[in-house]
Amino acid sequence: MRTQNLQSDFFSRNRKNLTRQLEKGTMALAFSNPIAMRNGDQQYVYRQDSDMFYLTGITQMESVLLLYCEKNSWNEILFITKPDPKTAIWDGEQLSKSRASEISGINEVRYTESLKVTLLELAPKTNALAVSRPLHHIIAGKWVDSVLEINDQINLTDLKPKIARLRVIKSSEEIKCIKESVRITHEAFNNLIKIIKPGKKEYEIEAEMIRTFLSNGADGHAFDPIVASGINSCTLHYIDNTKKMEDGDILLLDFGAEKNGYAADMSRTLPVNGKFSARQAEVYNAVLRTQKKTVKIIKPGISIKEINKQVRIWMEKEMIQLGLITQKDIDNQDPDEPISKKYFMHGTCHFMGLDVHDVGDPIKPLEPGMVITCEPGIYIKEEKIGVRIENDILITENGNEDLMNGIPREIEEIELLMNQNHAK
């Protein structure tokens, strides 16, 4: 992560809230993400495991968090790689014990070379082992196995659901981080809309996104951006971004900045030539009407599953008006495979936070502090029209706050902005 501005008391509070869910006699382990190789001797840019970051703020690889209860008191140990002068020459300075303690709020910091001895000491006294680790982290799996070999009476449990229950409710610090990512995403939209015109390549729009993100100190993209013109707008996760944009094309953008580890996620659909055709406008307004109605029902007590069900009913009515389906199609449809899925294949909402598709249960009622997206869409491949409009929504005590309400989405706003820029 390029930036990490959260204070140690945030991470200390998260750990304290986690231990309240753990039974005495439990040892908890959280592992950092392993290095991922790109090709040859080149690595992918490192991104910390979200659970590990949430609990410690540590963004360095090969780190381990250990929590255990002794004499009714929870103890914390953070293990980090011992700084190596040769590594520092190539990759920069590694964390010292004091710096790791300052970031995480953990007083006891040890080097990972002492992890084995610590586990040997604690395993015989442990009744349960709760673990959060990336599934592809082979070495972490071996550490877990070593504990079970020492004490085969230990009950192995998954720590991730307990952390997820905490992560799904955003603190004031997290909401501030998300709002900053939204602000940067908004700025990128304002910048890229100036260069959209026929003849440009999709990747030129993507380039403006990352330029704006980095110039604002963001970590980069929260996910691979979608810059999909023409028929590409009908591919939900199109990320090639290589096509030349043509006069008359629709352009579907789905992108978001990540800063301090927290994501934004926005979709907007624009006319490449600055003017929606009559049919494009008809489809666009159908999606926009649905999104506006959906935002109004997002509040504490309703679940994402219930939202999805209601949106599909609204979408069926819009699709009838668009001539895509008939009432007879709806009356005769398979309830498990609605006819509307031909043109609206995905859900309307997902949780968002440290992961763009963040932890959370779509069946459980929404609560204040949760952040979700609202992104209905209609995709008509035979007409080369794909429209998605997506805003990020914060659940509040009395309803919600649309974090992207200020980013243009009305046809008149979009066309005015594009034509102003084309006239220059």
Side-chain angles (χ1 to χ4, degrees), residues 196 249-251 269-277 280 414-415 418 422:
I196 295 171
D249 277 353
I250 206 86
L251 176 66
T269 306
L270 313 169
V272 168
N273 63 10
K275 178 72 175 176
F276 287 95
S277 70
Q280 288 170 348
I414 291 169
E415 290 184 343
M418 297 191 75
H422 288 172

Side-chain angles (χ1 to χ4, degrees), residues 160-177:
K160 284 185 173 295
K162 289 181 169 58
I163 301 173
R165 283 196 286 271
L166 301 176
R167 281 177 51 190
V168 73
I169 305 293
K170 273 54 181 181
S171 67
S172 58
E173 299 101 319
E174 292 176 287
I175 292 168
K176 184 177 179 181
C177 288

Side-chain angles (χ1 to χ4, degrees), residues 171-401:
S171 67
S172 58
E173 299 101 319
E174 292 176 287
I175 292 168
K176 184 177 179 181
C177 288
I178 291 171
K179 286 184 175 180
E180 174 63 4
S181 293
V182 168
R183 183 197 68 77
I184 296 170
T185 303
H186 187 177
E187 184 175 326
F189 177 78
N190 289 342
N191 290 337
L192 65 83
I193 202 170
K194 299 173 184 177
I195 62 172
I196 295 171
K197 62 182 179 180
K200 287 274 190 179
K201 292 291 187 72
E202 293 166 342
Y203 54 69
E204 293 181 77
I205 311 306
E206 180 182 351
E208 184 55 43
M209 292 175 185
I210 193 63
R211 187 201 67 80
T212 304
F213 291 174
L214 297 186
S215 66
N216 278 274
D219 307 324
H221 292 290
F223 54 95
D224 287 334
I226 297 168
V227 185
S229 62
I231 197 168
N232 294 335
S233 64
C234 298
T235 300
L236 299 182
H237 286 169
Y238 169 82
I239 58 172
D240 287 349
N241 304 343
T242 54
K243 180 180 176 293
K244 183 170 77 172
M245 298 183 293
E246 305 288 349
D247 190 4
D249 277 353
I250 206 86
L251 176 66
L252 192 156
L253 304 171
D254 191 337
F255 68 104
E258 178 181 303
K259 188 172 182 180
N260 287 301
Y262 286 83
D265 187 4
M266 183 190 78
S267 295
R268 289 294 185 269
T269 306
L270 313 169
V272 168
N273 63 10
K275 178 72 175 176
F276 287 95
S277 70
R279 180 58 169 172
Q280 288 170 348
E282 189 180 19
V283 177
Y284 186 95
N285 280 326
V287 175
L288 183 58
R289 280 192 297 269
T290 303
Q291 194 206 35
K292 288 180 175 179
K293 287 192 287 187
T294 306
V295 170
K296 289 180 180 179
I297 68 170
I298 295 175
K299 59 184 178 181
I302 195 170
S303 69
I304 286 180
K305 182 179 180 181
E306 291 168 330
I307 293 170
N308 285 338
K309 184 177 180 181
Q310 178 58 64
V311 170
R312 196 150 292 281
I313 293 171
W314 287 332
M315 276 297 200
E316 287 175 345
K317 293 178 181 178
E318 294 289 358
M319 288 178 191
I320 290 174
Q321 292 300 314
L322 291 170
L324 298 174
I325 60 175
T326 65
Q327 184 60 50
K328 185 177 179 181
D329 291 330
I330 296 171
D331 294 340
N332 296 329
Q333 70 184 349
D334 180 350
D336 296 327
E337 196 60 35
I339 189 68
S340 59
K341 277 195 172 183
K342 180 179 179 182
Y343 301 104
F344 177 42
M345 312 83 168
H346 56 80
T348 303
C349 306
H350 62 75
F351 294 97
M352 194 188 76
L354 280 170
D355 298 327
V356 69
H357 292 160
D358 207 26
V359 295
D361 189 337
I363 297 175
K364 292 184 177 179
L366 297 175
E367 299 177 45
M370 293 179 174
V371 177
I372 66 172
T373 63
C374 179
E375 50 179 309
I378 292 177
Y379 312 89
I380 314 171
K381 195 166 187 177
E382 57 270 26
E383 298 182 39
K384 301 180 182 179
I385 297 175
V387 175
R388 182 163 65 250
I389 308 170
E390 177 182 19
N391 284 19
D392 300 337
I393 312 294
L394 168 65
I395 313 303
T396 61
E397 292 289 344
N398 300 315
N400 71 67
E401 178 184 351

Side-chain angles (χ1 to χ4, degrees), residues 27 29 66 68 77 79 108 110-126 143 146-147 150:
M27 177 165 63
L29 286 171
L66 169 63
Y68 68 98
I77 306 175
F79 295 87
E108 189 168 358
R110 302 177 184 177
Y111 295 132
T112 48
E113 61 191 28
S114 66
L115 178 59
K116 182 177 181 180
V117 173
T118 306
L119 294 178
L120 282 170
E121 177 188 343
L122 294 176
K125 313 172 193 176
T126 300
W143 281 118
S146 70
V147 174
I150 298 167

Side-chain angles (χ1 to χ4, degrees), residues 35-45:
I35 297 168
M37 300 307 296
R38 182 180 181 273
N39 62 294
D41 61 355
Q42 297 302 298
Q43 302 168 4
Y44 282 105
V45 174

